[in-house]
Short mmCIF file of all heavy atoms in Angstrom, two decimals:
data_model
loop_
_atom_site.label_atom_id
_atom_site.label_comp_id
_atom_site.label_asym_id
_atom_site.label_seq_id
_atom_site.Cartn_x
_atom_site.Cartn_y
_atom_site.Cartn_z
N SER Z 1 0.82 -1.21 0.00
CA SER Z 1 0.00 0.00 0.00
C SER Z 1 0.85 1.26 0.00
O SER Z 1 0.43 2.31 -0.46
CB SER Z 1 -0.92 0.03 1.23
OG SER Z 1 -0.15 0.16 2.42
N GLY Z 2 2.06 1.14 0.53
CA GLY Z 2 2.93 2.29 0.61
C GLY Z 2 2.55 3.29 1.68
O GLY Z 2 3.12 4.37 1.76
N ARG Z 3 1.59 2.92 2.53
CA ARG Z 3 1.12 3.87 3.53
C ARG Z 3 2.08 3.97 4.71
O ARG Z 3 2.90 3.08 4.95
CB ARG Z 3 -0.27 3.49 4.03
CG ARG Z 3 -0.30 2.26 4.93
CD ARG Z 3 -1.72 1.96 5.43
NE ARG Z 3 -1.75 0.83 6.35
CZ ARG Z 3 -1.88 -0.44 5.98
NH1 ARG Z 3 -1.97 -0.73 4.70
NH2 ARG Z 3 -1.91 -1.40 6.87
N LEU Z 4 1.94 5.04 5.43
CA LEU Z 4 2.63 5.22 6.70
C LEU Z 4 1.73 4.58 7.75
O LEU Z 4 0.66 5.09 8.06
CB LEU Z 4 2.81 6.71 6.96
CG LEU Z 4 3.69 7.14 8.12
CD1 LEU Z 4 5.11 6.64 7.94
CD2 LEU Z 4 3.69 8.66 8.23
N ASP Z 5 2.15 3.45 8.30
CA ASP Z 5 1.26 2.65 9.16
C ASP Z 5 1.25 3.22 10.58
O ASP Z 5 1.68 2.58 11.54
CB ASP Z 5 1.70 1.20 9.16
CG ASP Z 5 0.55 0.25 9.45
OD1 ASP Z 5 -0.48 0.74 9.93
OD2 ASP Z 5 0.68 -0.95 9.18
N SER Z 6 0.70 4.43 10.70
CA SER Z 6 0.67 5.13 11.99
C SER Z 6 -0.24 4.44 13.00
O SER Z 6 0.04 4.43 14.19
CB SER Z 6 0.25 6.58 11.79
OG SER Z 6 -1.00 6.66 11.13
N ALA Z 7 -1.36 3.85 12.52
CA ALA Z 7 -2.29 3.19 13.44
C ALA Z 7 -1.63 2.02 14.15
O ALA Z 7 -1.80 1.82 15.35
CB ALA Z 7 -3.54 2.73 12.69
N ARG Z 8 -0.86 1.24 13.41
CA ARG Z 8 -0.17 0.09 14.03
C ARG Z 8 0.89 0.57 15.01
O ARG Z 8 1.08 -0.03 16.08
CB ARG Z 8 0.44 -0.78 12.94
CG ARG Z 8 1.16 -2.02 13.44
CD ARG Z 8 1.17 -3.10 12.40
NE ARG Z 8 -0.19 -3.60 12.15
CZ ARG Z 8 -0.50 -4.43 11.16
NH1 ARG Z 8 0.42 -4.87 10.33
NH2 ARG Z 8 -1.76 -4.84 11.00
N ALA Z 9 1.58 1.65 14.66
CA ALA Z 9 2.58 2.20 15.57
C ALA Z 9 1.94 2.66 16.88
O ALA Z 9 2.50 2.46 17.96
CB ALA Z 9 3.31 3.37 14.90
N GLU Z 10 0.75 3.25 16.79
CA GLU Z 10 0.06 3.71 18.00
C GLU Z 10 -0.39 2.55 18.87
O GLU Z 10 -0.35 2.62 20.10
CB GLU Z 10 -1.12 4.61 17.62
CG GLU Z 10 -0.73 5.93 17.00
CD GLU Z 10 0.09 6.80 17.94
OE1 GLU Z 10 -0.05 6.66 19.17
OE2 GLU Z 10 0.89 7.61 17.44
N VAL Z 11 -0.85 1.47 18.24
CA VAL Z 11 -1.25 0.28 19.01
C VAL Z 11 -0.05 -0.28 19.78
O VAL Z 11 -0.14 -0.61 20.97
CB VAL Z 11 -1.84 -0.80 18.08
CG1 VAL Z 11 -1.94 -2.15 18.80
CG2 VAL Z 11 -3.22 -0.38 17.59
N LEU Z 12 1.08 -0.36 19.12
CA LEU Z 12 2.28 -0.87 19.78
C LEU Z 12 2.74 0.09 20.88
O LEU Z 12 3.21 -0.35 21.94
CB LEU Z 12 3.40 -1.06 18.75
CG LEU Z 12 3.15 -2.16 17.72
CD1 LEU Z 12 4.22 -2.12 16.64
CD2 LEU Z 12 3.11 -3.54 18.37
N ALA Z 13 2.58 1.39 20.64
CA ALA Z 13 2.97 2.37 21.66
C ALA Z 13 2.11 2.22 22.91
O ALA Z 13 2.60 2.35 24.04
CB ALA Z 13 2.86 3.78 21.10
N ARG Z 14 0.81 1.94 22.74
CA ARG Z 14 -0.06 1.76 23.90
C ARG Z 14 0.33 0.52 24.70
O ARG Z 14 0.00 0.40 25.87
CB ARG Z 14 -1.52 1.68 23.46
CG ARG Z 14 -2.09 3.01 22.97
CD ARG Z 14 -3.61 3.02 23.03
NE ARG Z 14 -4.22 2.04 22.16
CZ ARG Z 14 -4.54 2.26 20.88
NH1 ARG Z 14 -4.25 3.42 20.32
NH2 ARG Z 14 -5.11 1.32 20.15
N ALA Z 15 1.02 -0.40 24.04
CA ALA Z 15 1.49 -1.60 24.73
C ALA Z 15 2.88 -1.41 25.31
O ALA Z 15 3.44 -2.34 25.88
CB ALA Z 15 1.48 -2.79 23.78
N GLY Z 16 3.45 -0.21 25.16
CA GLY Z 16 4.72 0.08 25.80
C GLY Z 16 5.91 0.21 24.88
O GLY Z 16 7.04 0.38 25.35
N ALA Z 17 5.71 0.13 23.55
CA ALA Z 17 6.84 0.23 22.61
C ALA Z 17 7.06 1.67 22.17
O ALA Z 17 6.13 2.47 22.11
CB ALA Z 17 6.58 -0.64 21.38
N THR Z 18 8.31 1.97 21.86
CA THR Z 18 8.61 3.18 21.10
C THR Z 18 8.58 2.74 19.64
O THR Z 18 9.49 2.07 19.16
CB THR Z 18 10.00 3.74 21.47
OG1 THR Z 18 10.00 4.10 22.85
CG2 THR Z 18 10.33 4.96 20.62
N ALA Z 19 7.49 3.07 18.96
CA ALA Z 19 7.25 2.54 17.62
C ALA Z 19 7.46 3.63 16.57
O ALA Z 19 6.97 4.75 16.72
CB ALA Z 19 5.83 1.99 17.51
N LEU Z 20 8.18 3.29 15.53
CA LEU Z 20 8.43 4.22 14.43
C LEU Z 20 7.92 3.61 13.14
O LEU Z 20 8.47 2.62 12.64
CB LEU Z 20 9.93 4.52 14.31
CG LEU Z 20 10.32 5.51 13.20
CD1 LEU Z 20 9.68 6.87 13.44
CD2 LEU Z 20 11.84 5.63 13.10
N ALA Z 21 6.83 4.17 12.61
CA ALA Z 21 6.31 3.73 11.32
C ALA Z 21 7.08 4.45 10.22
O ALA Z 21 7.32 5.66 10.30
CB ALA Z 21 4.82 4.03 11.22
N LEU Z 22 7.45 3.72 9.19
CA LEU Z 22 8.24 4.26 8.08
C LEU Z 22 7.51 4.06 6.76
O LEU Z 22 7.12 2.94 6.43
CB LEU Z 22 9.61 3.56 8.03
CG LEU Z 22 10.47 3.82 6.79
CD1 LEU Z 22 10.94 5.27 6.78
CD2 LEU Z 22 11.65 2.86 6.75
N ARG Z 23 7.31 5.15 6.04
CA ARG Z 23 6.89 5.02 4.64
C ARG Z 23 8.15 4.76 3.84
O ARG Z 23 9.08 5.57 3.83
CB ARG Z 23 6.21 6.31 4.16
CG ARG Z 23 5.77 6.22 2.69
CD ARG Z 23 5.27 7.55 2.17
NE ARG Z 23 3.99 7.92 2.77
CZ ARG Z 23 3.80 8.95 3.57
NH1 ARG Z 23 4.84 9.71 3.91
NH2 ARG Z 23 2.62 9.23 4.05
N TRP Z 24 8.22 3.62 3.15
CA TRP Z 24 9.48 3.24 2.53
C TRP Z 24 9.49 3.35 1.00
O TRP Z 24 10.52 3.07 0.36
CB TRP Z 24 9.90 1.84 2.98
CG TRP Z 24 8.87 0.76 2.82
CD1 TRP Z 24 7.93 0.39 3.74
CD2 TRP Z 24 8.72 -0.12 1.71
NE1 TRP Z 24 7.18 -0.66 3.28
CE2 TRP Z 24 7.65 -1.00 2.03
CE3 TRP Z 24 9.36 -0.27 0.49
CZ2 TRP Z 24 7.22 -1.99 1.16
CZ3 TRP Z 24 8.94 -1.26 -0.38
CH2 TRP Z 24 7.88 -2.11 -0.04
N PHE Z 25 8.38 3.75 0.42
CA PHE Z 25 8.39 4.11 -1.00
C PHE Z 25 7.23 5.06 -1.25
O PHE Z 25 6.27 5.13 -0.49
CB PHE Z 25 8.29 2.88 -1.91
CG PHE Z 25 6.91 2.27 -2.00
CD1 PHE Z 25 6.01 2.67 -2.98
CD2 PHE Z 25 6.52 1.29 -1.11
CE1 PHE Z 25 4.74 2.10 -3.06
CE2 PHE Z 25 5.25 0.71 -1.19
CZ PHE Z 25 4.36 1.12 -2.17
N GLY Z 26 7.35 5.83 -2.33
CA GLY Z 26 6.28 6.74 -2.70
C GLY Z 26 6.27 8.05 -1.95
O GLY Z 26 5.41 8.90 -2.19
N GLY Z 27 7.22 8.26 -1.04
CA GLY Z 27 7.28 9.49 -0.28
C GLY Z 27 8.37 10.41 -0.79
O GLY Z 27 8.98 10.18 -1.84
N ALA Z 28 8.62 11.44 -0.02
CA ALA Z 28 9.65 12.41 -0.40
C ALA Z 28 11.02 11.75 -0.48
O ALA Z 28 11.43 11.03 0.45
CB ALA Z 28 9.66 13.55 0.62
N GLU Z 29 11.71 11.97 -1.59
CA GLU Z 29 13.07 11.47 -1.80
C GLU Z 29 13.14 9.94 -1.69
O GLU Z 29 14.13 9.39 -1.21
CB GLU Z 29 14.04 12.13 -0.82
CG GLU Z 29 14.06 13.65 -0.91
CD GLU Z 29 14.96 14.28 0.13
OE1 GLU Z 29 15.68 13.53 0.84
OE2 GLU Z 29 14.95 15.51 0.25
N GLN Z 30 12.09 9.26 -2.15
CA GLN Z 30 12.05 7.81 -2.11
C GLN Z 30 11.71 7.26 -3.49
O GLN Z 30 11.17 7.98 -4.34
CB GLN Z 30 10.99 7.33 -1.10
CG GLN Z 30 11.33 7.60 0.36
CD GLN Z 30 10.27 7.05 1.28
OE1 GLN Z 30 9.09 6.93 0.92
NE2 GLN Z 30 10.67 6.72 2.49
N PRO Z 31 11.99 5.97 -3.73
CA PRO Z 31 11.54 5.36 -4.98
C PRO Z 31 10.02 5.47 -5.10
O PRO Z 31 9.30 5.32 -4.11
CB PRO Z 31 11.98 3.89 -4.84
CG PRO Z 31 13.10 3.92 -3.84
CD PRO Z 31 12.77 5.03 -2.89
N PRO Z 32 9.51 5.76 -6.31
CA PRO Z 32 8.06 5.94 -6.46
C PRO Z 32 7.27 4.65 -6.30
O PRO Z 32 6.08 4.68 -5.94
CB PRO Z 32 7.93 6.49 -7.89
CG PRO Z 32 9.15 6.01 -8.60
CD PRO Z 32 10.24 5.98 -7.56
N THR Z 33 7.89 3.51 -6.53
CA THR Z 33 7.24 2.21 -6.40
C THR Z 33 8.17 1.27 -5.63
O THR Z 33 9.37 1.56 -5.48
CB THR Z 33 6.93 1.59 -7.77
OG1 THR Z 33 8.17 1.37 -8.47
CG2 THR Z 33 6.04 2.51 -8.60
N PRO Z 34 7.65 0.14 -5.16
CA PRO Z 34 8.53 -0.82 -4.48
C PRO Z 34 9.44 -1.54 -5.46
O PRO Z 34 9.21 -2.68 -5.85
CB PRO Z 34 7.56 -1.77 -3.78
CG PRO Z 34 6.29 -1.64 -4.51
CD PRO Z 34 6.24 -0.26 -5.07
N CYS Z 35 10.46 -0.83 -5.90
CA CYS Z 35 11.42 -1.38 -6.85
C CYS Z 35 12.80 -0.78 -6.55
O CYS Z 35 12.94 0.45 -6.48
CB CYS Z 35 10.99 -1.06 -8.29
SG CYS Z 35 12.08 -1.77 -9.55
N GLU Z 36 13.77 -1.66 -6.36
CA GLU Z 36 15.14 -1.25 -6.02
C GLU Z 36 15.16 -0.25 -4.87
O GLU Z 36 15.78 0.81 -4.93
CB GLU Z 36 15.85 -0.72 -7.26
CG GLU Z 36 16.04 -1.79 -8.33
CD GLU Z 36 16.96 -1.39 -9.46
OE1 GLU Z 36 17.28 -0.19 -9.58
OE2 GLU Z 36 17.36 -2.29 -10.24
N VAL Z 37 14.47 -0.62 -3.81
CA VAL Z 37 14.46 0.17 -2.58
C VAL Z 37 15.71 -0.18 -1.78
O VAL Z 37 15.96 -1.36 -1.51
CB VAL Z 37 13.19 -0.12 -1.75
CG1 VAL Z 37 13.23 0.64 -0.42
CG2 VAL Z 37 11.94 0.22 -2.54
N PRO Z 38 16.51 0.79 -1.36
CA PRO Z 38 17.72 0.48 -0.59
C PRO Z 38 17.39 -0.10 0.80
O PRO Z 38 16.65 0.51 1.57
CB PRO Z 38 18.42 1.83 -0.46
CG PRO Z 38 17.82 2.71 -1.50
CD PRO Z 38 16.40 2.23 -1.66
N VAL Z 39 17.93 -1.25 1.11
CA VAL Z 39 17.75 -1.84 2.43
C VAL Z 39 18.37 -0.93 3.50
O VAL Z 39 17.93 -0.92 4.65
CB VAL Z 39 18.36 -3.25 2.47
CG1 VAL Z 39 18.35 -3.83 3.87
CG2 VAL Z 39 17.61 -4.18 1.51
N GLU Z 40 19.36 -0.14 3.09
CA GLU Z 40 19.99 0.79 4.03
C GLU Z 40 19.00 1.79 4.61
O GLU Z 40 19.24 2.35 5.69
CB GLU Z 40 21.13 1.53 3.34
CG GLU Z 40 22.35 0.68 3.06
CD GLU Z 40 22.28 -0.06 1.72
OE1 GLU Z 40 21.18 -0.09 1.11
OE2 GLU Z 40 23.30 -0.61 1.30
N MET Z 41 17.88 2.04 3.91
CA MET Z 41 16.87 2.95 4.44
C MET Z 41 16.31 2.43 5.77
O MET Z 41 16.11 3.19 6.72
CB MET Z 41 15.71 3.11 3.44
CG MET Z 41 14.61 4.04 3.91
SD MET Z 41 13.10 3.93 2.92
CE MET Z 41 13.74 4.17 1.27
N PHE Z 42 16.10 1.12 5.84
CA PHE Z 42 15.57 0.52 7.06
C PHE Z 42 16.63 0.52 8.17
O PHE Z 42 16.31 0.73 9.34
CB PHE Z 42 15.09 -0.90 6.78
CG PHE Z 42 14.13 -0.98 5.63
CD1 PHE Z 42 14.50 -1.58 4.43
CD2 PHE Z 42 12.86 -0.45 5.73
CE1 PHE Z 42 13.62 -1.66 3.36
CE2 PHE Z 42 11.96 -0.51 4.66
CZ PHE Z 42 12.35 -1.11 3.48
N VAL Z 43 17.87 0.30 7.79
CA VAL Z 43 18.97 0.35 8.77
C VAL Z 43 19.07 1.75 9.35
O VAL Z 43 19.26 1.93 10.57
CB VAL Z 43 20.29 -0.07 8.12
CG1 VAL Z 43 21.45 0.08 9.10
CG2 VAL Z 43 20.21 -1.52 7.63
N GLU Z 44 18.93 2.77 8.49
CA GLU Z 44 18.98 4.14 8.97
C GLU Z 44 17.81 4.43 9.91
O GLU Z 44 17.98 5.13 10.93
CB GLU Z 44 18.95 5.12 7.81
CG GLU Z 44 19.05 6.58 8.24
CD GLU Z 44 19.05 7.55 7.08
OE1 GLU Z 44 19.39 7.15 5.97
OE2 GLU Z 44 18.68 8.72 7.30
#
């Protein structure tokens, strides 16, 4: 879907996690589609 999964991050936060949802394609300065997405983005 390419969405920023903020709802899931909030559910995890209510359970005690520091949750960071990441939009990993289709956003600013990102690949427009899920194709050749750098794995380093997730490491960062």
